[in-house]
Amino acid sequence: MPFSSLGLSSPLLKAIASRHYSAPTPVQTAAIPVILKGGDVRACAQTGSGKTAAFVLPILQQWTNGRRQTPRRVHALILVPTRELAAQIGESIRHYSSHLAEPIKTICVFGGVSINPQMMRLRGGADIVVATPGRLLDLVEHNALRLSEVSTLVLDEADRLLDLGFADELARVLALLPKQRQNLLFSATFPAAVQTLAENLLNNPERIEIEAAPETTPNIQQRAIETDVPRRTQLLRHLIQSQGWTRVLVFVATKYSTEHVSDKLRKLGIRAAPFHGELSQSARTMALEDFKESLIHVLVATDLAARGIDIASLPVVVNYDLPRSASDYVHRIGRTGRAGESGIAVSFITAENHAHFALIEKRNGMTVPRETIAGFEPEVVDTRVQPPNGGIKGKRKSKKDKLREAAALAANKL
Ligand code: AMP
């Protein structure tokens, strides 16, 4: 089905053509006609599915067809969990609106930066506001904007909004909106809290279930490599060099680890940089630009900071530390294999985290075969599973044992 059959106006089709998209993605095909008709949407769609255009394009068209007001009143409010995602959606809106007859004013607001410039930009109103909930409420309290005429509300990455503890802020924002409005909810996963939110928010929504779970997504190859905690950096270097990876997003658990791991990689001759929420906005923008231009080959990030990074071609994601939850795993590996490209998602499995990974597999209904890489095999014996003749806790495997295991593994594979 071509874009022209979705009911979009020619200025929007022109903007799409300049992006050289050959056809709408499934979420776009399903959502755009419904949104144009004013219906609510409940879409299960991951980053990479083309979901941004699925709501931005019809919102732009509705705005073009609507009544103009001076000062501008917020027509559409897009709530997002992070500033990166806000900035990326803002960028998409700017692009898709580039051929509209009248300029549309879009403002992106998020915390972690000074509020004053955002207040200045909101003078004279705005047509579309893309916001993280906390900063949006601050701005409302400062009388910098009013939400009483919002006709379309989008919750993007609703699962992350709740994961990041925005439930209270969300409730306060919803109370400021007019009762009559269109609601569009996009989420990669639908745990109970998101389902409840969807039930309370949406009015007879069109249910769109585009996302194939990543485990069934053929273009993401998942690998689980067993090793020991202290060998992970060397293993990472080995993989980067032996596989010729030049653009790798590495996930670690803490801000400290982003610095620590990227330092160690740099010492090993790999161009790596940390990426976390406490870097200044300009440092983050610079790191992303360097990564996109391949001046940096490895970005070492926390979940929070990496959320919403939209890099068109991200071939490899590495879980150096495992994510906390099964849904975070889905989000992380969804950074790769986007828009039809293939991707690799590697998880490092250690004696300390293997039970946690098994739980992630169970929750996501998937199984990732364990593998080892010669020279980086785990030396620590899994203390939970004792060999029949009374293994000694923490005993290191002998070379013979390892060879026997490798032979058994190879035999099983044949
Ligand atoms: P999103 O899921 O909105 O984060 O989009 C993921 C990526 O897919 C972005 O880089 C978009 O530019 C790209 N994209 C969006 N729509 C299409 C399409 N119809 N065909 C190909 N790529 C697309």
Side-chain angles (χ1 to χ4, degrees), residues 3 16 19-28 45-55 57 85 88-89 92 96 156-157 308-313 335 338-340:
F3 268 108
I16 294 165
R19 286 229 150 168
H20 307 291
Y21 300 158
S22 50
T25 64
V27 70
Q28 292 163 357
Q46 274 189 41
T47 303
S49 59
K51 65 185 168 59
T52 312
F55 61 79
L57 290 165
L85 189 57
Q88 277 158 28
I89 293 175
S92 292
Y96 294 126
D156 193 16
E157 304 200 349
I309 292 177
D310 179 19
I311 293 172
S313 162
R335 312 270 100 198
R338 287 172 166 210

Side-chain angles (χ1 to χ4, degrees), residues 44 46 188 210-218 220 222 330 333 364-366:
C44 183
Q46 274 189 41
I210 295 304
E211 173 222 26
E215 62 277 12
T216 60
T217 304
I220 301 178
Q222 296 180 73
V330 173
I333 79 166
N364 286 331
M366 65 189 195

Side-chain angles (χ1 to χ4, degrees), residues 63 74 78 101 107 110 138 145 154 187 197 219 222 229 267 354 376-377 383:
W63 176 82
V74 182
I78 302 169
I107 305 284
F110 37 77
D138 290 345
L145 86 168
V154 181
S187 194
L197 174 68
N219 56 353
Q222 296 180 73
V229 167
K267 284 188 188 127
H354 77 113
F376 301 94
E377 302 93 336
T383 52

